[in-house]
């Protein structure tokens, strides 16, 4: 019944198995990939014909994690998987990026890749398994895919590169890098690092590229027995039409691309395009070329002009040379009532970053296959349509917004203080208010400034820069701080973020069939120079975290109580802790190890809550002086509340240095007094003294003498 084909290879110390022919046989291609005991099913279906007028390649990648893969039932009311999680969206993008450039030019059939995690062994991350499965399914599907590709995760533990480290090993790694590519070159890199040098990052990329070669060989071996017949792809010859467009538009288009202002340049290009359309597609003409084809060829002419100028003269669209970064203006503390804010402007790209500090109650619960955990740092990126002078949809964030936000998150995250040292929940929102090239790197810079403005003690300030590439036969040019047009018409988007000491995040996407180690080395060196320049400009606004939190930020104090006292502080049904919160106005959170976090914007509220908790969990110390309140007077002395709910007796002989006739001659109920704990009598009653303490200063009289 089944025509099963199976290939197995040892990879990174574990078996990797690729199998097809048993599951999802009606898909164009289906592969079940198994690594350790993690299993991912990849399916590929592609329409037989493109939609009429289709002017782009409609590729969709959907990665989905089924809760049953880890023996779980989904959380939430409906108890079934719903909209994709952030992690699923990011993994979908991760796989889309290296496979998209390998589809044949001219292929525009609607294509969908679905990747389903069927089993997760909680040791081997399914994202790499899904990438390998997608590559294998595409390779055997018959669609014009110029693969296969391989992918790998690279860790850096104790100065050594580690291939596909286990999930439990990742906390020890100073690098989390995913690389994908072909047998000859690298196509995609995504990483988070702890201030690693450029040569270490380049070494990790090349280590990963070398390490996934056995995977590519295994996919080829599977395809030799299981691949379907390749689809016939007929690409029309438009050379004559391109020559006509070039004759009409070339000179005016060259002039348009000498305009340095984005809006004016765009208007000039649109005018040239309208002239071409009017000349080639006159109204009412029956044999006129397709408008979509004309648009594609016009874009091809744009690329030819821009790329040719850069390769030949080293002059870019806005007149810069290859290495110059656009003018930068960095400002911090621009919004008065927020906890931290910054406006970062680089050329025609601008990001407004706002930091907010919260408490444990603001932590985000993340329900993942590996288990539920709390996120204490969130970075949300928004790209409103007005940032590029357009109208557009406003709503929940799309894949691009989620991806750009996570890239900036990775850049900043390694520089945050440990949560036990800075026990705040941190949220940063980046509103991109202008965009002409790399708003994600502007977000990195703005976020770094906003956090320092909020008083978050970053290890070092972080900056980011986007690099581009123009590669023609026998020559290439690496561009620093690329414009939007250079991104669209170029061959590479290479983003590098980090501090003056090293790289914290690196992301690379290649639109051609890969780049070499030499090009990556040049790009990393050029990016370092640009990053240091940007950091220097940022330092003019703020070079380190402010010494105090913002006026409106909550204050959090951390104390420790004995574990066996936790129940007493919480009280029956939470009665005691609720009373503490209601009476003092402070937020109180108690962890299982006895760590207590008290938060409020009012310092007095925090102090009152701490004193209350200590009065329950701690014991008064003999020899210590306390401030108390007289709660009752009697003939033989006064009772003073001096330690939370704890009262003690000041005998009449201990009220004053001289002989006292009546207690009320010295104190009355409600008086604030200083007392020293002298000890406990044989029945455990507290003995206090006022006469040994200066009632004005609270200092011990004997000590002063």
């Amino acid at each position: 019944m089944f025509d099963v084909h199976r290939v197995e290879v040892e990879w990174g110390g574990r078996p990797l198995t690729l199998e097809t022919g048993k599951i999802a046989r009606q898909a164009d291609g289906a592969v079940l990939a198994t690594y350790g005991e993690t299993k991912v099913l990849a399916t590929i279906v592609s329409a037989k014909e493109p939609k009429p007028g289709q002017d782009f390649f409609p590729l969709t990648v959907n990665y989905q994690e089924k809760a049953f893969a880890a023996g779980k039932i989904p959380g939430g009311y409906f108890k079934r998987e719903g909209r994709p999680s952030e992690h699923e969206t990011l993994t979908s993008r991760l796989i889309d990026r290296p496979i998209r450039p390998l589809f044949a030019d001219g292929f525009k059939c609607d294509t969908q890749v679905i990747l389903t995690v069927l089993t997760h062994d909680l040791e081997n991350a399914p994202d790499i398994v899904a990438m390998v499965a997608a590559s294998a399914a595409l390779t055997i599907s018959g669609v014009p895919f110029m693969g296969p590709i391989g992918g790998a995760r690279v860790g850096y533990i104790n100065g050594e590169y580690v291939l596909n480290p286990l999930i439990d090993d990742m906390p020890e790694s100073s690098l989390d890098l995913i690389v994908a590519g072909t047998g000859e070159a690298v196509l995609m890199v995504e990483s988070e690092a702890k201030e690693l040098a450029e040569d270490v990052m380049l070494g990790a990329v090349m280590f990963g590229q070398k390490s996934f070669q056995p995977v590519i060989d295994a996919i080829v071996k599977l395809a030799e027995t299981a691949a379907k017949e390749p689809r016939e792809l007929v690409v029309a010859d438009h050379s004559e039409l391109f020559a006509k467009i070039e004759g009409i538009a070339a000179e005016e288009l060259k002039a348009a691309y000498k305009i340095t202002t984005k809006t004016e340049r765009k208007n000039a290009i649109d005018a040239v395009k309208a002239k071409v359309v009017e000349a080639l597609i006159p109204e009412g003409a029956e044999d006129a070329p397709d408008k979509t084809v004309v648009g594609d060829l016009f874009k091809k002419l744009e690329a030819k002009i821009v790329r040719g100028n850069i390769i030949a003269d080293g002059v870019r669209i806005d007149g810069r040379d290859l290495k110059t970064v656009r003018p930068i203006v960095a400002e911090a503390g621009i919004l008065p009532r927020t906890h931290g804010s910054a406006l970062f402007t680089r050329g025609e790209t601008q990001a407004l970053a706002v930091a907010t500090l919260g408490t444990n109650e603001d932590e985000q619960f993340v329900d993942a296959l590996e288990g539920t955990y709390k996120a204490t740092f969130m970075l949300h990126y928004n790209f409103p349509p007005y940032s590029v002078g357009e109208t557009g949809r406003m709503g929940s964030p799309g894949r691009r917004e989620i991806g750009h936000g996570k890239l900036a998150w990775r850049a900043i995250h390694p520089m945050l203080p440990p949560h036990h040292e800075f026990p705040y929940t941190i949220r940063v929102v980046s509103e991109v208010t202008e965009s002409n090239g790399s708003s994600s790197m502007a977000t990195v810079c703005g976020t770094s400034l906003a956090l320092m403005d909020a008083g978050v003690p970053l290890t070092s300030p972080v900056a980011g820069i986007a690099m581009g590439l123009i590669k023609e036969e026998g020559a290439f040019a690496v561009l620093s701080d690329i414009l939007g047009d250079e991104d669209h018409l170029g061959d590479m988007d290479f983003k590098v973020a980090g501090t003056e000491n090293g790289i914290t995040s690196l992301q690379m996407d290649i639109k051609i069939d890969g780049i070499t180690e030499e090009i990556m080395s040049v790009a990393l060196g050029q990016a370092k120079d640009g990053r240091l320049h940007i950091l220097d400009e940022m330092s003019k606004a703020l070079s380190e975290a402010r010494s105090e939190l913002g006026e409106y930020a909550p204050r959090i104090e951390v104390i420790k109580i004995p574990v066996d006292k936790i129940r007493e502080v919480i009280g029956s049904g939470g009665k005691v802790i609720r009373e503490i919160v209601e009476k003092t106005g402070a937020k109180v959170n108690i962890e299982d190890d006895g760590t207590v976090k008290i938060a409020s914007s009012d310092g007095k509220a925090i102090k009152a809550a701490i004193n209350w908790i200590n009065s329950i969990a701690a014991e008064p110390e003999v020899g210590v002086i306390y401030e108390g309140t007289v709660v009752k007077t009697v003939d033989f002395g006064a009772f003073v509340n001096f330690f939370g709910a704890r009262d003690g007796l000041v005998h009449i002989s201990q009220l004053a240095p001289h002989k006292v006739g009546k207690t009320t001659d010295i104190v009355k109920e409600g008086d604030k007094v200083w007392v020293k704990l002298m000890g406990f009598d044989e029945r455990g009653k507290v003995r206090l003294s006022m006469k040994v303490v200066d009632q004005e200063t609270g200092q011990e009289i004997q000590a002063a003498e």
Side-chain angles (χ1 to χ4, degrees), residues 208-229:
Q209 198 254 350
K210 180 181 179 182
S211 297
F212 60 60
Q213 297 310 310
V215 175
I216 293 177
D217 294 340
I219 295 173
V220 171
K221 186 177 179 181
L222 180 69
E224 288 174 349
T225 60
K228 295 181 179 179
E229 288 297 318

Side-chain angles (χ1 to χ4, degrees), residues 257-307:
Y257 271 109
K258 290 182 180 178
I259 300 172
T260 57
T261 304
K262 177 186 175 182
T263 304
E264 294 179 14
R265 180 172 63 250
K266 183 178 182 297
N267 292 337
I269 293 169
D270 289 344
V272 178
K273 186 175 181 179
K275 180 180 178 181
V276 170
V277 171
E278 184 180 353
L280 297 177
I281 315 176
E283 191 173 343
E286 294 182 1
D287 58 346
D290 185 84
K291 191 173 182 179
T292 299
V293 174
V294 172
D296 288 345
L297 294 176
F298 186 81
K299 185 176 180 180
K300 180 180 176 182
L301 179 60
E302 288 184 82
K304 180 180 178 181
I305 291 171
V306 171
R307 295 164 67 90

Side-chain angles (χ1 to χ4, degrees), residues 428-636:
V428 178
V429 177
S430 173
E431 295 287 337
V432 177
T433 49
E434 296 180 26
S435 180
N436 185 15
S438 195
S439 53
S440 62
M441 294 296 96
T443 292
V444 170
C445 301
T447 296
S448 179
L449 289 169
L451 288 173
M452 292 191 293
D453 183 51
V456 180
L458 295 181
T459 306
S460 296
V462 185
I465 185 170
M467 314 296 292
L469 173 71
I470 304 296
K471 186 173 181 285
E472 299 289 349
E473 290 186 11
F476 71 87
V478 175
L479 316 178
S480 294
D481 181 24
I482 56 174
L483 300 172
D485 287 337
E486 292 170 338
D487 186 5
H488 301 321
L489 302 175
D491 298 322
M492 175 181 77
D493 185 7
F494 189 95
K495 297 183 175 78
V496 186
T499 69
E500 62 180 3
N501 301 316
I503 294 172
T504 57
S505 182
L506 187 154
Q507 184 187 84
M508 181 176 70
D509 291 305
I510 306 300
K511 302 171 188 177
I512 52 178
D513 58 359
I515 63 170
T516 62
E517 183 176 359
E518 177 193 5
I519 295 175
M520 279 191 288
S521 180
V522 171
L524 282 169
Q526 207 164 303
K528 181 179 181 180
D529 294 338
R531 184 175 82 244
L532 294 177
H533 167 72
I534 296 170
L535 284 168
D536 186 55
E537 293 297 313
M538 289 168 56
S539 68
K540 296 176 182 178
L542 204 57
S543 59
E544 59 182 17
R546 300 195 189 280
S547 58
E548 294 184 0
L549 300 183
E551 179 183 355
Y552 300 100
R555 267 61 176 172
I556 298 179
E557 295 287 343
V558 180
I559 63 173
K560 197 90 169 179
I561 63 173
V563 174
D564 59 0
K565 294 287 185 178
I566 294 176
R567 179 175 295 181
E568 295 180 37
V569 175
I570 294 175
S572 177
K575 178 181 178 182
V576 175
I577 196 169
R578 281 200 304 272
E579 185 180 4
I580 295 173
V581 171
E582 290 170 5
K583 294 285 181 66
T584 65
K587 296 180 180 179
V588 180
N589 179 269
I590 303 177
E591 298 177 5
D592 293 341
D593 64 351
T595 299
V596 184
K597 297 176 182 176
I598 304 100
S600 174
S601 56
D602 182 359
K604 292 181 179 178
I606 292 177
K607 185 177 180 181
I610 290 176
N611 289 341
W612 196 328
I613 292 168
N614 281 335
S615 71
I616 300 170
E619 296 292 336
E621 298 180 36
V622 175
V624 175
I625 294 173
Y626 298 95
E627 185 179 21
T629 303
V630 177
V631 294
K632 185 179 181 181
T633 59
V634 292
D635 291 343
F636 52 86

Side-chain angles (χ1 to χ4, degrees), residues 48-171:
K48 299 301 182 279
E49 298 290 338
K51 293 178 182 177
Q54 187 80 53
D55 61 350
F56 65 96
F57 173 40
L59 171 67
T60 305
V61 177
N62 297 108
Y63 169 88
Q64 52 186 2
E65 294 183 338
K66 298 298 184 180
F68 61 70
K72 298 174 62 177
I73 293 175
Y77 180 78
F78 293 104
K79 298 302 177 186
R80 69 174 296 166
E81 291 82 2
R83 61 178 296 175
S85 66
E86 181 179 281
H87 174 68
E88 288 172 314
T89 298
L90 293 168
T91 305
S92 297
R93 282 174 52 88
L94 191 74
I95 296 167
D96 182 298
R97 286 156 48 195
I99 65 175
R100 185 177 290 271
L102 294 184
F103 285 88
D105 290 338
F107 182 67
K108 296 180 179 178
C109 296
D110 195 359
T111 302
Q112 185 177 38
V113 180
I114 298 178
L115 304 141
T116 307
V117 180
L118 301 179
T119 303
H120 188 3
D121 62 9
L122 306 183
E123 291 185 345
N124 298 284
D127 50 5
I128 295 298
V129 187
M131 182 180 291
V132 171
S135 174
L138 284 165
T139 302
I140 68 172
S141 68
V143 300
F145 176 68
M146 305 299 115
I149 66 162
R153 173 174 269 106
V154 179
Y156 193 62
I157 301 174
N158 298 325
E160 299 287 339
Y161 296 122
V162 180
L163 174 63
N164 296 335
L166 299 176
I167 291 174
D168 288 344
D169 294 335
M170 287 308 297

